[in-house]
Amino acid sequence: MTSDHNRRHVATFCGQCSCGCPELWIDPDAPQGKRVVLTDDFGQRIQMSVGQLTDLVADVKNGVLDEVLIPS
């Protein structure tokens, strides 16, 4: 991945604590397949394309995680 200083912050998920919440970044200097960067509170990262993020968001909006996140 290219240097972190070029990444543009998009969102912080949670943000109600100081534990290093997951964050979404765009790295315009990365190859197209790795421009979206999702970091977690353990220092790990996932890189994906904008198309993959679009698919992920659409699936979440369509309820693909409801069964996992909402107890029966």
Side-chain angles (χ1 to χ4, degrees):
M1 178 171 183
T2 59
S3 63
D4 290 345
H5 73 276
N6 291 329
R7 290 188 305 177
R8 181 174 53 90
H9 184 261
V10 176
T12 299
F13 304 102
C14 176
Q16 305 301 315
C17 60
S18 59
C19 63
C21 301
E23 295 181 279
L24 181 65
W25 301 83
I26 298 294
D27 185 349
D29 297 330
Q32 284 192 354
K34 296 182 177 185
R35 287 213 172 131
V36 176
V37 181
L38 183 62
T39 60
D40 70 10
D41 51 339
F42 301 106
Q44 302 298 309
R45 72 176 80 203
I46 296 171
Q47 293 175 259
M48 65 183 82
S49 69
V50 172
Q52 289 171 313
L53 177 63
T54 300
D55 290 344
L56 176 65
V57 169
D59 284 349
V60 170
K61 285 181 176 181
N62 287 326
V64 74
L65 296 178
D66 289 354
E67 205 173 287
V68 175
L69 300 177
I70 301 171
S72 303

